[in-house]
Amino acid sequence: MSSGALIAFNDPRRFGMMKLVRRADLNKEPLLHALGPEPLGGKFDAAALARRCKGRKTSLKAALSDQRIVAGLGNIYVCEALHRARISPMRRASSIATRSGLPNERAGTLVKAVKAVLRDAIKAGGSSLRDHRRTDGALGDFQNKFRVYDRAGMPCPRAGCGGTIKRIVQTGRSTFFCPVCQK
């Protein structure tokens, strides 16, 4: 870059793309118009999530994975956040909002869980399952802190729960959850 900064883009799974846009042109960029709020940004709160989920008949897991609802949440982090919030991934997305689109208690709990999971994952350097590496080339460590993701058949880590982690498939992706404590 003209500032001397170096930008590296490594996408071995080929899910992403990169397009450099001048800061002054960000509001005009068509690829950004359809994205929901950034989950660690100031525009992502219970009210925003409830508005976007109001009236949606899809599952909460599918809604959270939809980049138009909230940008940047991947499958792992959705499963982990739903577990922390004690919310079933099969629950309807609309169940976190009133009929008028106001957030209920679940919406607030879920937003806090999403932010906590992402902060913990960032602090741990991400999740290195097959191909993720940090910018310094080191592996991330968050996969060693998973509560539910890829833990099917194992005991739920929530104290006093006694449930067993289950795996189902939703919208073509594995979903891991505890049927006992996630309602």
Side-chain angles (χ1 to χ4, degrees):
M1 303 295 290
S2 61
S3 66
L6 176 67
I7 296 176
F9 181 67
N10 180 8
D11 185 23
R13 292 168 61 190
R14 300 183 183 168
F15 284 160
M17 63 175 252
M18 179 187 281
K19 181 177 180 181
L20 300 178
V21 180
R22 294 182 189 281
R23 185 180 305 270
D25 297 333
L26 283 175
N27 289 335
K28 296 181 242 169
E29 177 51 49
L31 293 172
L32 299 177
H33 282 277
L35 289 179
E38 208 294 320
L40 293 178
K43 294 182 180 176
F44 181 69
D45 59 17
L49 184 59
R51 274 192 311 276
R52 291 175 177 273
C53 289
K54 175 190 168 205
R56 292 192 180 262
K57 294 180 181 175
T58 188
S59 72
L60 199 45
K61 162 78 184 302
L64 291 172
S65 300
D66 184 337
Q67 302 302 296
R68 296 168 297 182
I69 304 292
V70 57
L73 278 184
N75 191 42
I76 291 170
Y77 304 114
V78 170
C79 291
E80 293 294 311
L82 286 167
H83 182 262
R84 287 190 189 193
R86 296 179 177 229
I87 299 173
S88 171
M90 296 172 288
R91 180 176 279 283
R92 271 193 179 187
S94 61
S95 72
I96 65 165
T98 65
R99 289 183 195 264
S100 62
L102 294 173
N104 61 26
E105 186 178 334
R106 275 190 218 100
T109 301
L110 183 54
V111 165
K112 287 177 188 167
V114 165
K115 290 180 182 224
V117 164
L118 291 177
R119 285 186 186 112
D120 289 349
I122 290 167
K123 192 173 3 176
S127 304
S128 294
L129 299 179
R130 288 180 292 279
D131 49 29
H132 168 75
R133 292 196 178 268
R134 299 183 332 204
T135 55
D136 64 1
L139 296 175
D141 191 45
F142 192 65
Q143 70 278 3
N144 297 317
K145 296 172 174 57
F146 290 164
R147 294 180 181 196
V148 292
Y149 189 81
D150 205 23
R151 293 178 43 93
M154 298 176 82
C156 177
R158 189 177 315 280
C161 173
T164 300
I165 305 303
K166 185 175 178 181
R167 177 191 173 271
I168 60 171
V169 176
Q170 290 180 290
T171 59
R173 303 295 308 270
S174 292
T175 296
F176 298 89
F177 72 105
C178 176
V180 174
C181 67
Q182 287 180 256
K183 299 294 178 189

